[in-house]
Amino acid sequence: AIPSLVVRTGDQPLARENELLKELRVTGLNEAYPEQRRRFLEWFESPHPYLATGMIVASRDADIFLQALTDGQRCKVVATVAIDGPMHLGHGTPVSILAYFQALGAEIALGFRDELGDLIEARRIMRDSLLMMAAEGLDLSRTHAYLQQDSPPIVRTAFEIGEAIPLSVLNSALGLRLRDSATETFRPLLRLADILHAQQAEAGGPCRTLVVDSIGGDVYVRMARNVAERFGFLKPSALYLRPVRNLTTYNDPQTGGAVEVMTNRVPSGRITYGDDPAEIRRRVGRAYTGGRGTLEEQREKGGNPDPRVCSVSSLHAFYATPDPQEYARLQSRCRSGELLCGECKTSAADRLLEYLREHRSRRDNPSEQARNAANQMAG
Ligand code: SF4
């Protein structure tokens, strides 16, 4: 049986991060596991900054995937992108990991999931997103991207996987309720199909795969691992990325819990790739921080730069100050009370705007090859 440890937005997943890593029995790579992280980094000549800063919080057998990649075997990195509105900074973080592994020789399989219920709009957003990903360094000519609900091989794989999973297992793993719509039982099968289709004969056959997701996606990875061998597939591995923090403190009226993840459901707490620079500066200026009540208190006791708490620290870690040493210095200056939130926010906004300006200029001038690949994959 798959234990029900699904993480829903509103469950305060970030506050529970370490607790979850223990419950899920994954290899922790965040700040709480410096020795495990140090050993993990030895796999890489030049580690991705998110690995070095602990923004990749855990691995599930990723070392098996890395061994295969090092040995020159055919390997794939798999990810799913939810289309629930415009692309925001939370969508961008896995892309840089995909581009990193692509440069190391892995193939990329990228499923887009329409959560708008509007396939035409979903295709438009998917095309834009692919160009955004190309601007982030992903080579689209070596990427297999598809719209999940509109991809016959994925739907067929979902049906096949569904045959191998009793409804009771799906329900207990995902905490589905009797009043949920019947479609809620099919959606997870599409997520599993994203993971396992990468090893179908038409996709090149069994190979080592690495799922890049947030820790909330582990429930799907565990289900996929449970059924993989029945289909003649290898068990997928996974790396779990910390989400970019929501810039506001927002309590979900449905669950009563705090929404701590950047999401389109809370527009005031997100930054999209198309936002106006003045608006971005305003949002960063008002962002929730780990600062103290008064300047005197902060100078005396220091702030809390934990990116699960301080949304400005989260922006620094992922976009504004991704260099691990520089980020560590920023955190230490915050803890000592030397750095105050006003200065920290100004530098986050300046650097973020610079990053977005360069990103937009690359996105608006894609290569002919990237444009053709995006048009072809988004239909
Ligand atoms: Fe967060 Fe920066 Fe304030 Fe520290 S100084 S609490 S990192 S905004």
Side-chain angles (χ1 to χ4, degrees):
I2 313 266
S4 178
L5 279 171
V6 67
V7 183
R8 289 180 191 277
T9 305
D11 279 355
Q12 304 199 9
L14 302 185
R16 294 211 308 127
E17 188 179 272
N18 288 337
E19 203 183 307
L20 265 171
L21 301 190
K22 266 195 214 132
E23 279 179 71
L24 296 173
R25 296 195 190 151
V26 287
T27 306
L29 299 173
N30 68 4
E31 302 84 347
Y33 301 90
E35 188 49 32
Q36 286 182 182
R37 193 196 318 173
R38 191 195 58 70
R39 281 203 302 275
F40 194 75
L41 288 175
E42 287 173 3
W43 281 102
F44 307 94
E45 248 179 66
S46 165
H48 189 286
Y50 298 167
L51 272 168
T53 50
M55 295 306 122
I56 291 180
V57 293
S59 136
R60 190 177 281 288
D61 282 355
D63 44 343
I64 297 177
F65 172 88
L66 292 169
Q67 184 64 61
L69 191 64
T70 308
D71 292 345
Q73 294 174 26
R74 192 171 65 88
C75 292
K76 275 190 192 176
V77 180
V78 180
T80 303
V81 180
I83 300 182
D84 57 354
M87 295 295 281
H88 55 69
L89 295 181
H91 288 112
T93 51
V95 181
S96 115
I97 308 284
L98 299 184
Y100 175 80
F101 279 109
Q102 189 179 51
L104 293 181
E107 297 174 24
I108 305 295
L110 192 53
F112 285 82
R113 181 174 70 243
D114 171 27
E115 292 192 352
L116 300 170
D118 178 345
L119 278 183
I120 293 175
E121 178 64 0
R123 285 201 173 284
R124 190 192 65 73
I125 294 178
M126 178 179 166
R127 195 174 304 112
D128 282 358
S129 307
L130 285 169
L131 291 177
M132 183 277 275
M133 292 174 179
E136 198 63 48
L138 194 69
D139 179 351
L140 296 186
S141 67
R142 295 193 295 126
T143 300
H144 173 59
Y146 53 85
L147 192 56
Q148 204 185 51
Q149 293 98 325
D150 209 19
S151 162
I154 293 296
V155 174
R156 199 172 56 244
T157 304
F159 273 109
E160 282 173 24
I161 296 167
E163 294 282 344
I165 301 181
L167 201 51
S168 57
V169 170
L170 202 64
N171 281 353
S172 73
L174 297 171
L176 297 178
R177 294 154 299 192
L178 280 176
R179 65 170 187 276
D180 286 338
S181 75
T183 308
E184 293 303 321
T185 58
F186 193 63
R187 270 193 238 283
L189 297 178
L190 288 169
R191 280 289 284 278
L192 294 175
D194 276 342
I195 297 172
L196 292 175
H197 178 264
Q199 298 191 60
Q200 289 277 39
E202 69 204 61
C207 64
R208 286 289 168 201
T209 52
L210 179 81
V211 178
V212 174
D213 205 336
S214 64
I215 192 74
D218 185 62
V219 69
Y220 300 101
V221 173
R222 280 178 289 130
M223 275 198 273
R225 287 166 66 88
N226 264 18
V227 298
E229 283 168 358
R230 252 184 275 179
F231 293 90
F233 299 154
L234 303 175
K235 286 187 178 188
S237 305
L239 277 181
Y240 299 123
L241 189 60
R242 183 175 281 163
V244 181
R245 200 195 185 288
N246 189 349
L247 298 183
T248 58
T249 46
Y250 174 86
N251 281 332
D252 189 324
Q254 279 181 0
T255 65
V259 178
E260 294 172 341
V261 175
M262 192 173 279
T263 161
N264 277 325
R265 288 174 49 233
V266 187
S268 60
R270 69 170 188 204
I271 290 174
T272 75
Y273 284 84
D275 278 343
D276 174 64
E279 176 61 19
I280 292 176
R281 206 173 270 287
R282 196 183 64 82
R283 277 197 196 155
V284 175
R286 291 185 180 177
Y288 183 76
T289 73
R292 303 275 179 175
T294 64
L295 290 181
E296 289 69 34
E297 200 188 348
Q298 188 155 345
R299 276 198 195 99
E300 191 190 325
K301 297 179 182 159
N304 181 358
D306 186 327
R308 293 167 293 189
V309 174
C310 173
S311 64
V312 179
S313 177
S314 179
L315 288 179
H316 274 292
F318 285 112
Y319 291 100
T321 313
D323 177 79
Q325 285 177 355
E326 213 187 328
Y327 182 59
R329 265 198 305 278
L330 179 140
Q331 288 189 302
S332 130
R333 287 182 63 220
C334 165
R335 280 195 205 95
S336 72
E338 183 195 336
L339 179 65
L340 299 178
C341 296
E343 182 193 337
C344 192
K345 284 176 169 178
T346 305
S347 82
D350 288 347
R351 288 167 171 226
L352 181 62
L353 287 172
E354 178 63 17
Y355 160 81
L356 286 172
R357 197 184 57 73
E358 286 173 10
H359 184 276
R360 275 176 203 160
S361 119
R362 288 196 300 273
R363 187 200 57 191
D364 294 345
N365 302 289
S367 68
E368 189 69 20
Q369 198 183 33
R371 194 192 302 272
N372 289 343
N375 284 340
Q376 197 188 357
M377 289 188 280

